[in-house]
Amino acid sequence: MRGNSAALEAAGVDFCYYENDGLVLREVSLELGAGELVGLIGPNGSGKTTLLRVLSGLLVPNRGKVYLDGQDIRTFDRRRIAQRVAVVPQELAMPFAFSAYEMVMMGRTPHVRPILGAGPRDRQVVAEKMELTATSVLAERPFSELSGGEKQRVIIAMALAQEPEILLLDEPTVHLDINHQVEILELIKRLNRRERLTVFATMHDLNLAALYFDRLILLDRGQVVANGSPAEVLREESIREVFRADVQVQQHPTHHTPQVVILPLT
Amino acid sequence: MKRCNPIVVILVLAVALVGCVVVAISLGAVAIPFSEVARMLIARLPGVSLPPSWSDTSILRRAQDTAGISTIQAEVIIFQIRLPRVVTAVVVGGALAAAGAVFQGLLRNPMADPYIIGTSGGAALGATIALLLPIQVVWLGFTLVPLAAFAGALVTVLVVYNIARVGPRTPVTTLLLAGFAFSSMLAAVMSFLMLVSGHTLRRVVLWTMGGVTASSWLQLRIVVPLIVAGVIAAYTLANDLNAFLLGEEQAAYLGVNVERRKLVLLMLGSLLTGAAVSVSGLVGFIGLVVPHVARLIFGPDHRLLLPASTLMGSLFLVLADLVARLLLAPAEIPVGIITAMIGAPFFIYLLRRSKREYVF
């Protein structure tokens, strides 16, 4: 056990997929306090998804450690991790004909016992989480026939059915129209505020990230280069350098969060 | 999406299977009335003693009148010839269908069948070598052929699994390709052996076509518990198989220890296949198509799919073997020919009939 118990913590993490390949993550240290709402930004290939995989215990760092509730995550087995940490992946293909309800029920996997299957408590949790994500009306529909926004809400309901303390999301708004982007981010914020979930999400849209997250972490080529409030992280110099794009940072007209405006090269 | 009640499905399939077993025992070169078969089977159940009026010879006498055989002859036909054969069909059909469902789910591949990662190649080569060797071995009631087939199947899967391993992981694609490459090599060795062996060629060909003919109670005493245990063990992993359908990464996020489960499921599937192959040779088609038929009718949830596939596989092989015995009686047709000839049109009919696109 470590004294300062963050919900999830990376301490000096180096990671590479194959030996002799370059490091994808380099000395990454970060803490997620219980109940925090934190966004991870950075250009494509900066290691965002890899960091999420490391934090979920799926990938083991070459150096450094990940702590879950102050305890080395490697001492947990997958089932116990899944009861505390849920991951919403960037894309989830389900080619089989499962209904939305059956998909959400799969979130109970770390809780249900073999043979006995889902009990009344599992059904109750699934119903609650579908209510929470406004997916109850989709219950009987085949998952594969849902729209992008509906699918994303069902997948979030599935993650919530794990009854986690920590929710990790990989680009939860990618491929969605703005109305659905807002819908998903409002849902995530509600989960954080009302259900007291610790949320950590990778985001590629800097403005949405600034609007919805309390704290942002900027990743560049596998290294944390900024960590703080949106106003502290989204600064013109650092964005120009990390994203190699010419930008101007303005203030949101009503919310006083920074908003990044792109300046075309020509 | 309406789903069937699992308990009702299992009960209906189980009752249908028992009915088919009675029919299959009663029909043959000598027909024995259903009632007589049922009575004799019930009388042999442990803890059952029939009232005297039932064990009275009146029914037996009628049987004798119609079939022209005595009670003792009927007993011998039922318990020494037909029942072992039908029981073999039940366990082999069930094992192959269950193994097929496991492999299709685990590998997320609609073309997966029990033989996909080399069990067939290994078993066939083992059997061929055993047929060619001029030695006689009998162990636990098994001759060398089934033993060599069983060993060949399991050893091949272990070899393929280790070839496919990349560090701590065994990716599905590598597994499929390694299985294909390795079993092609084994098939080539087998072809070569057949070519140089000459006179045993026909026996090898017959073995690869599969059949449920020559099983003794001694063999079944080993194979039946093995297969029953394998099916039950696979069923306890149904939740994990469902999670695997989401992809291995998501299965891990849902708490499944992916690599360990994969090895366990591969071994279970191969054990079921190996046990089935050892008593029946390479019966094709069932392991590929029965799980698809079950999925088309009952949906993709493995908690229903696995038991339903198992029972349907049993049912199908019992019926196919019955047709194989009766169609050109007294000659017998290799059952693999019948399974494909009846099963394929039925499967095509189901595919065409389903209103939604069959998303595997």
Side-chain angles (χ1 to χ4, degrees):
Chain A
M1 287 292 280
R2 286 159 66 94
N4 55 335
S5 273
L8 196 58
E9 179 187 352
V13 164
D14 281 0
F15 180 81
C16 63
Y17 280 95
Y18 294 101
E19 277 174 61
N20 308 325
D21 282 11
L23 287 179
V24 183
L25 297 176
R26 199 184 297 270
E27 283 183 51
V28 172
S29 294
L30 58 88
E31 283 184 21
L32 301 175
E36 270 202 289
L37 177 59
V38 183
L40 179 66
I41 53 175
N44 294 335
S46 58
K48 299 193 294 287
T49 301
T50 305
L51 178 54
L52 224 54
R53 288 182 177 147
V54 168
L55 285 174
S56 68
L58 187 73
L59 299 178
V60 179
N62 300 63
R63 231 162 51 93
K65 280 200 169 118
V66 172
Y67 296 95
L68 175 59
D69 285 333
Q71 207 180 328
D72 187 348
I73 202 164
R74 292 187 68 183
T75 61
F76 293 81
D77 65 23
R78 283 274 17 137
R79 195 175 159 95
R80 276 178 65 215
I81 295 175
Q83 291 168 355
R84 304 172 139 209
V85 183
V87 181
V88 174
Q90 199 172 115
E91 248 167 291
L92 189 67
M94 171 43 92
F96 293 81
F98 281 101
S99 69
Y101 179 85
E102 290 167 325
M103 287 290 284
V104 178
M105 188 54 95
M106 284 193 199
R108 297 301 294 164
T109 307
H111 297 280
V112 295
R113 282 166 299 174
I115 300 192
L116 293 174
R121 158 129 178 86
D122 298 301
R123 282 188 284 275
Q124 187 202 326
V125 171
V126 167
E128 264 170 37
K129 303 307 176 189
M130 293 189 82
E131 193 72 38
L132 201 60
T133 51
T135 50
S136 306
V137 288
L138 309 173
E140 294 302 312
R141 299 256 308 273
F143 175 77
S144 55
E145 291 173 18
L146 300 179
S147 74
E150 291 170 336
K151 270 186 187 156
Q152 189 66 307
R153 279 187 286 136
V154 169
I155 296 168
I156 291 174
M158 178 170 105
L160 294 177
Q162 290 173 241
E163 296 183 286
E165 293 142 28
I166 302 166
L167 188 61
L168 306 178
L169 304 103
D170 195 3
E171 305 259 3
T173 59
V174 79
H175 305 315
L176 296 181
D177 304 327
I178 47 169
N179 54 336
H180 290 118
Q181 289 184 342
V182 169
E183 181 186 270
I184 295 292
L185 288 168
E186 290 287 342
L187 169 63
I188 290 170
K189 190 148 195 165
R190 207 163 58 233
L191 293 172
N192 171 256
R193 297 290 195 264
R194 292 208 200 137
E195 313 288 318
R196 307 250 174 265
L197 231 70
T198 308
V199 176
F200 186 60
T202 67
M203 291 290 295
H204 76 289
D205 188 314
L206 303 178
N207 293 334
L208 281 172
L211 264 175
Y212 280 96
F213 290 82
D214 302 329
R215 177 154 72 98
L216 294 179
I217 293 173
L218 177 59
L219 207 59
D220 183 26
R221 283 165 289 179
Q223 279 180 297
V224 174
V225 292
N227 183 348
S229 70
E232 288 167 330
V233 173
L234 294 176
R235 300 161 71 98
E236 281 171 15
E237 326 73 271
S238 51
I239 294 174
R240 271 196 210 112
E241 195 185 315
V242 171
F243 287 89
R244 293 189 180 77
D246 205 5
V247 296
Q248 204 171 42
V249 175
Q250 302 174 343
Q251 234 190 25
H252 190 280
T254 55
H255 279 69
H256 310 295
T257 56
Q259 292 290 288
V260 178
V261 179
I262 298 160
L263 305 173
L265 294 173
T266 50
Chain B
M1 294 169 92
K2 280 277 158 284
R3 298 281 196 226
C4 310
N5 182 334
I7 297 164
V8 174
V9 170
I10 303 301
L11 276 178
V12 168
L13 285 173
V15 169
L17 180 60
V18 171
C20 281
V21 164
V22 172
V23 172
I25 292 173
S26 110
L27 297 179
V30 178
I32 302 167
F34 297 153
S35 56
E36 183 66 3
V37 172
R39 197 194 61 80
M40 282 194 180
L41 289 179
I42 291 168
R44 285 282 183 112
L45 287 177
V48 174
S49 59
L50 293 174
S53 60
W54 258 62
S55 49
D56 182 39
T57 49
S58 59
I59 309 171
L60 303 179
R61 221 180 295 116
R62 250 183 286 134
Q64 194 175 344
D65 293 342
T66 49
I69 53 161
S70 71
T71 322
I72 296 158
Q73 280 173 316
E75 285 253 348
V76 169
I77 290 173
I78 290 176
F79 289 104
Q80 296 308 315
I81 299 171
R82 292 201 192 146
L83 190 57
R85 182 171 181 144
V86 172
V87 169
T88 307
V90 168
V91 293
V92 167
L96 290 176
V102 166
F103 282 124
Q104 285 172 6
L106 178 65
L107 305 173
R108 266 171 302 143
N109 186 320
M111 292 308 290
D113 75 354
Y115 307 133
I116 188 146
I117 47 171
T119 41
S120 56
L125 182 61
T128 308
I129 292 171
L131 284 167
L132 293 179
L133 287 178
I135 50 168
Q136 294 283 327
V137 178
V138 178
W139 186 62
L140 297 172
F142 290 94
T143 58
L144 197 55
V145 175
L147 292 174
F150 184 73
L154 288 193
V155 168
T156 307
V157 170
L158 278 176
V159 170
V160 168
Y161 179 80
N162 281 299
I163 293 175
R165 235 182 31 208
V166 185
R169 299 187 54 233
T170 312
V172 163
T173 312
T174 336
L175 197 60
L176 285 170
L177 291 175
F180 174 72
F182 193 70
S183 52
S184 304
M185 197 177 79
L186 295 183
V189 173
M190 188 183 98
S191 301
F192 177 75
L193 286 178
M194 281 165 69
L195 197 68
V196 294
S197 74
H199 61 283
T200 47
L201 193 89
R202 191 182 146 78
R203 287 175 67 198
V204 174
V205 171
L206 270 178
W207 187 88
T208 58
M209 281 183 187
V212 286
T213 40
S215 304
S216 66
W217 283 115
L218 212 53
Q219 292 179 332
L220 288 174
R221 273 217 326 253
I222 311 277
V223 173
V224 173
L226 200 62
I227 286 175
V228 170
V231 168
I232 291 172
Y235 180 69
T236 64
L237 300 175
N239 282 321
D240 295 345
L241 269 172
N242 282 343
F244 265 106
L245 300 183
L246 292 163
E248 289 181 12
E249 184 169 343
Q250 194 61 26
Y253 293 145
L254 288 175
V256 178
N257 190 331
V258 169
E259 292 305 325
R260 206 192 305 159
R261 277 286 179 270
K262 201 191 295 180
L263 180 60
V264 169
L265 284 164
L266 277 178
M267 283 301 131
L268 265 180
S270 309
L271 187 82
L272 285 170
T273 310
V277 164
S278 71
V279 288
S280 66
L282 298 178
V283 178
F285 198 77
I286 287 184
L288 175 69
V289 168
V290 169
H292 283 303
V293 172
R295 212 177 276 114
L296 272 165
I297 302 175
F298 306 121
D301 187 338
H302 283 91
R303 280 169 305 180
L304 177 56
L305 184 64
L306 273 177
S309 293
T310 308
L311 289 169
M312 287 167 77
S314 300
L315 201 63
F316 184 44
L317 193 56
V318 169
L319 289 176
D321 182 54
L322 183 64
V323 174
R325 279 191 286 140
L326 293 182
L327 201 60
L328 296 180
E332 282 185 15
I333 306 165
V335 76
I337 294 178
I338 303 295
T339 52
M341 215 137 50
I342 306 176
F346 177 65
F347 182 50
I348 290 168
Y349 160 76
L350 271 182
L351 269 180
R352 298 276 309 156
R353 198 205 59 164
S354 76
K355 288 175 206 80
R356 291 180 191 282
E357 180 191 358
Y358 174 46
V359 277
F360 167 75

